Amino acid sequence: MAVIGIDLGTTNSLGAYWKDGAVCLIPMDEGFLLPSVVGYVEGEGYLVGAAAKERLIPCPEDTAASFKRFMGTAKEYRLGERVCTPMELSAMVLEQIKRNAEFFLKEEVEEAIITVPAYFNDKQRSDTKKAARIAGLKVDRLINEPSAAALAYRREYGEEDKTLLVFDFGGGTLDLSYVECFDNVIEIIAVAGDNHLGGDDIDQAVAEYFCRENGLLSEELTREEQAKLKKLSEEAKCALAEKDEAAMELETGGRVCRASLNEDRLFEICMPLFAKIRQLFIHILEDADSRVSGIDDLIMVGGSSKLGVVKRFLRELLGKEPIVLGETDRVVAFGAGVYAGIRQRREEIRDMLLTDVCPFTLGIGVNNRANRDKNILSPMIERNSTLPASHRDRFVTVCDYQKEIRIRIYQGEEYYVDDDVFLGELTIEVALKPAGQAWVDVRFTYDINGILHVMAENEMGERRQILLANQTLSEAELERYTREMEKIMLLPIQKPENQEMLACFLEYYENSTGQKREMIAAMTGRIMAGLSSGRKKAVRNAEETGRMWLAELRRSADMREEILFDGELKAGPGGEFDEFSEDTWDGFDKEFEEFDEE
Ligand code: ADP
Ligand code: MG
């Protein structure tokens, strides 16, 4: 039984599998690409792929494309007799890939790893899984497209610790992801993007240029001519990969219109799009709390990344050469294939950890003093938090002797909760006290499967909890998730070994004076900040450095005892007796700097 990896794209989809230690792509109608297009032919039935794409222009009313954009919504496509949802259309694409794979592998395909954009929300992810189920595929785990690209990069460039920026420029969307790879972990730190910025927009800009050159108004063209011009524009754009100049020609209103396209012209045409891309870079670097120099490598992914002008723009923007891993539109599928390989050799699965981010802010509605009718969102888990994420906050009553507190849970970035997406609610009793004196602690825990667990605990120690998941869970599953959540809820700082470490620091602190005491306070503060940062790399750094510093303190304490017994106590740099040498102080100063840089 084979496991395959699938890049279910907006424009094109691909399938990959793992064989003898390497990834192989599954042949489709256009080389390795299966256009994500579904069509209906009267009397014949449904078509998927290149044959359906051919019919986009002559039969637009019986053809559906770019439906991935509407995944998770109730949008309907009428194809012949039937009304299809984006989920059903995606299922048809997946089924076609499954069929091609089985034909090619001469083996039944039962399971698939499917990639989705990092920003896909719960509904979009669960609809993708449902589509797979309709297509007869078992899907345990969806992986994010940038994580797949990072996997592909690591196979090519080795598994050194690196910070990557994945630039995925497809047919309809641009997705930027800031990804950190360390040890066996691939962590998405931040995502940014525009889901209306892609190859289609470049085609549109080229078409407008063609009209300008020929004094045409695009509204004057018939629908057919407009479609033809769009196709012509895409062909001219793609031709620049092979030649310097591409000629365009269109017959309209009894005359032949012409224009020619070259790299410089295209660069100019794309300027407004590049300005948008630049803004997205600013956005993601701010969200990741980084800068251009913090990126080790920029990886170009997606069909539109094949454009020489895009590479040129990125080179100028970042001042370094972007990495191209073979054909840019195959990278995500390649990574999915690597993951399918990991999956097949089950024992290795724990070796590779893909951590995801929460694409939206999750929070609860709280009273707004300025306007009592409009509650505002108090964020609990911020957008781009690494998953699994857990956060606790205390909320107080707003009325005197209020009996209970109702916790309403929302997802979104809007200030007023009315504009965010309502997810669910729970109610908990509180102590009868004047306003602001009774409280509840609320904890949000969000895991990599997109399941949100909210727990409230009042001052009497009573608990209420709710699990918010898109699919309805059975009692047994609910129980299992709750147990797993409890493990995640243990923050790094609460782990017994870290608590013990902090206790040691405090003991040294209590037993010291003066400058040494300050130094230990500074150390403890940094370790605590690192442990509660919520960022894996910082946590790991705090754990390692903490242990190192403790060892140093222990050593100096031992030394002190020796000195004491030898009766040779010397004056240290603090003017008092201290066994820390100047070098040790300088050493710590430098280590602090390094620590803060992390
Ligand atoms: P998606 O991820 O959106 O499904 P792809 O990554 O396959 O899509 O990218 C599709 C886009 O790539 C289309 O807009 C197409 O015009 C563009 N494209 C494909 N080949 C080339 C090329 N050689 N030069 C420029 N653009 C290309
Ligand atoms: Mg893609």
Side-chain angles (χ1 to χ4, degrees):
M1 230 51 111
V3 182
I4 60 170
I6 298 176
D7 168 7
L8 184 61
T10 312
T11 322
N12 297 303
S13 298
L14 299 88
Y17 65 100
W18 180 266
K19 193 172 175 238
D20 303 331
V23 176
C24 308
L25 295 178
I26 297 157
M28 300 283 164
D29 343 0
E30 293 186 353
F32 295 111
L33 305 183
L34 177 75
S36 309
V37 185
V38 177
Y40 177 77
V41 188
E42 189 70 56
E44 278 187 43
Y46 291 90
L47 292 175
V48 178
K53 186 179 163 188
E54 286 290 306
R55 295 168 52 85
L56 261 178
I57 295 180
C59 320
E61 52 293 318
D62 281 332
T63 318
S66 297
F67 36 83
K68 182 177 170 184
R69 280 176 193 262
F70 298 97
M71 200 67 163
T73 70
K75 185 175 163 77
E76 292 182 335
Y77 293 81
R78 178 167 287 283
L79 293 181
E81 296 293 284
R82 264 186 74 182
V83 172
C84 302
T85 60
M87 180 176 80
E88 289 167 316
L89 295 169
S90 303
M92 291 192 219
V93 173
L94 290 171
E95 196 173 23
Q96 182 71 40
I97 293 176
K98 179 179 191 276
R99 230 177 302 147
N100 281 18
E102 287 178 343
F103 174 76
F104 187 70
L105 297 171
K106 299 186 183 58
E107 191 181 350
E108 203 182 319
V109 173
E110 193 195 27
E111 194 183 329
I113 310 293
I114 301 178
T115 60
V116 291
Y119 60 79
F120 252 27
N121 65 23
D122 297 353
K123 183 86 174 67
Q124 292 166 310
R125 284 169 199 263
S126 105
D127 277 7
T128 306
K129 283 190 176 175
K130 282 185 201 151
R133 224 173 301 144
I134 298 172
L137 287 166
K138 192 174 127 240
V139 174
D140 258 7
R141 178 97 196 254
L142 300 172
I143 66 171
N144 287 321
E145 289 163 9
S147 307
L151 277 175
Y153 170 91
R154 288 173 73 120
R155 266 199 79 73
E156 195 83 17
Y157 286 86
E159 313 207 328
E160 250 178 80
D161 288 2
K162 281 275 170 72
T163 298
L164 309 175
L165 198 126
V166 178
F167 178 89
D168 186 349
F169 202 12
T173 56
L174 171 65
D175 300 317
L176 300 186
S177 316
Y178 191 96
V179 181
E180 278 181 3
C181 304
F182 57 96
D183 290 351
N184 55 358
V185 179
I186 292 177
E187 180 173 339
I188 301 179
I189 303 292
V191 291
D194 187 331
N195 52 17
H196 288 279
L197 179 59
D200 293 346
D201 300 276
I202 299 179
D203 302 343
Q204 185 59 37
V206 172
E208 282 164 17
Y209 153 77
F210 183 88
C211 290
R212 270 199 312 277
E213 288 288 287
N214 288 284
L216 289 171
L217 284 173
S218 70
E219 308 87 78
E220 285 171 4
L221 299 176
T222 64
R223 209 168 127 184
E224 230 157 73
E225 285 167 344
Q226 281 181 16
K228 240 186 222 161
L229 175 59
K230 197 100 201 284
K231 188 155 186 260
L232 195 66
S233 306
E234 187 184 0
E235 282 164 0
K237 169 190 83 173
C238 293
L240 290 184
E242 260 106 59
K243 49 188 187 185
D244 297 338
E245 192 96 32
M248 298 171 71
E249 203 179 285
L250 180 77
E251 228 186 288
T252 169
R255 71 179 173 118
V256 180
C257 298
R258 292 193 177 85
S260 111
L261 194 69
N262 62 24
E263 287 266 324
D264 287 339
R265 186 57 47 75
L266 187 61
F267 197 88
E268 236 168 74
I269 292 171
C270 291
M271 274 312 213
L273 305 179
F274 290 160
K276 286 191 186 169
I277 297 178
R278 192 171 180 277
Q279 284 307 314
L280 290 173
F281 267 92
I282 294 174
H283 186 95
I284 195 165
L285 287 173
E286 271 173 0
D287 265 10
D289 197 12
S290 181
R291 48 186 111 171
V292 169
S293 58
I295 303 168
D296 292 317
D297 276 326
L298 178 124
I299 305 165
M300 295 184 77
V301 178
S304 300
S305 280
K306 291 185 181 180
L307 282 173
V309 290
V310 174
K311 195 170 181 192
R312 183 169 128 198
F313 163 72
L314 291 175
R315 194 187 289 131
E316 282 172 17
L317 181 71
L318 305 175
K320 64 174 133 200
E321 196 63 21
I323 300 272
V324 179
L325 299 163
E327 298 277 335
T328 55
D329 48 6
R330 300 179 190 172
V331 177
V332 169
F334 194 87
V338 173
Y339 196 80
I342 295 174
R343 181 101 204 152
Q344 260 160 352
R345 296 163 293 145
R346 289 182 190 276
E347 74 282 5
E348 283 180 43
I349 197 132
R350 274 187 197 89
D351 289 344
M352 181 62 73
L353 228 84
L354 301 161
T355 50
D356 299 341
V357 295
C358 169
F360 304 106
T361 300
L362 295 164
I364 67 180
V366 294
N367 193 265
N368 170 14
R369 277 203 202 100
N371 180 353
R372 293 224 160 218
D373 299 333
K374 275 174 98 75
N375 282 355
I376 53 179
L377 185 76
S378 171
M380 294 290 286
I381 293 179
E382 298 270 5
R383 175 179 86 232
N384 280 330
S385 302
T386 305
L387 301 187
S390 186
H391 180 77
R392 194 187 63 188
D393 233 334
R394 182 164 286 186
F395 294 89
V396 297
T397 48
V398 282
C399 304
D400 287 339
Y401 306 100
Q402 182 175 335
K403 275 199 204 131
E404 53 186 29
I405 288 186
R406 191 150 55 124
I407 294 153
R408 290 176 60 86
I409 304 149
Y410 295 89
Q411 161 186 306
E413 311 308 320
E414 302 299 330
Y415 183 67
Y416 292 114
V417 291
D418 290 347
D419 304 323
D420 291 309
V421 182
F422 174 68
L423 297 179
E425 64 178 18
L426 56 84
T427 305
I428 185 164
E429 284 181 15
V430 286
L432 285 178
K433 286 183 179 176
Q437 289 185 21
W439 52 260
V440 285
D441 278 338
V442 178
R443 179 181 286 285
F444 270 46
T445 308
Y446 195 59
D447 80 351
I448 46 176
N449 296 306
I451 293 171
L452 173 67
H453 176 241
V454 177
M455 190 179 71
E457 184 173 352
N458 62 21
E459 47 197 298
M460 292 82 87
E462 292 160 347
R463 288 179 168 187
R464 294 284 174 279
Q465 52 185 329
I466 181 173
L467 263 188
L468 297 164
N470 28 53
Q471 59 275 67
T472 36
L473 297 170
S474 69
E475 276 302 313
E477 281 174 315
L478 211 92
E479 170 102 0
R480 183 165 62 85
Y481 275 119
T482 311
R483 267 202 316 273
E484 280 174 16
M485 288 292 175
E486 270 160 13
K487 271 189 260 158
I488 301 169
M489 280 156 57
L490 199 62
L491 296 173
I493 197 164
Q494 296 167 336
K495 282 205 286 191
E497 62 269 30
N498 289 334
Q499 282 290 314
E500 201 177 303
M501 176 169 78
L502 287 172
C504 288
F505 270 110
L506 290 180
E507 202 181 318
Y508 280 116
Y509 175 82
E510 282 163 18
N511 293 331
S512 313
T513 48
Q515 205 170 352
K516 183 175 173 190
R517 187 175 190 156
E518 270 170 39
M519 180 71 84
I520 296 173
M523 287 175 179
T524 318
R526 277 169 167 84
I527 301 302
M528 292 214 299
L531 290 178
S532 28
S533 66
R535 295 186 51 181
K536 291 217 168 47
K537 205 170 173 179
V539 168
R540 196 182 56 159
N541 183 37
E543 285 174 344
E544 282 174 4
T545 316
R547 264 183 270 287
M548 197 177 77
W549 285 344
L550 259 193
E552 196 70 33
L553 288 173
R554 210 165 280 140
R555 207 172 52 81
S556 81
D558 290 348
M559 222 158 73
R560 186 183 175 88
E561 273 177 29
E562 255 174 55
I563 295 171
L564 272 178
F565 284 108
D566 286 349
E568 282 181 32
L569 219 50
K570 295 182 297 231
E576 55 177 336
F577 292 105
D578 200 306
E579 64 293 346
F580 274 22
S581 69
E582 288 279 358
D583 284 354
T584 319
W585 289 108
D586 288 350
F588 277 129
D589 272 346
K590 217 173 122 259
E591 277 172 22
F592 278 178
E593 266 168 38
E594 275 167 20
F595 191 92
D596 292 340
E597 262 171 30
E598 278 293 328

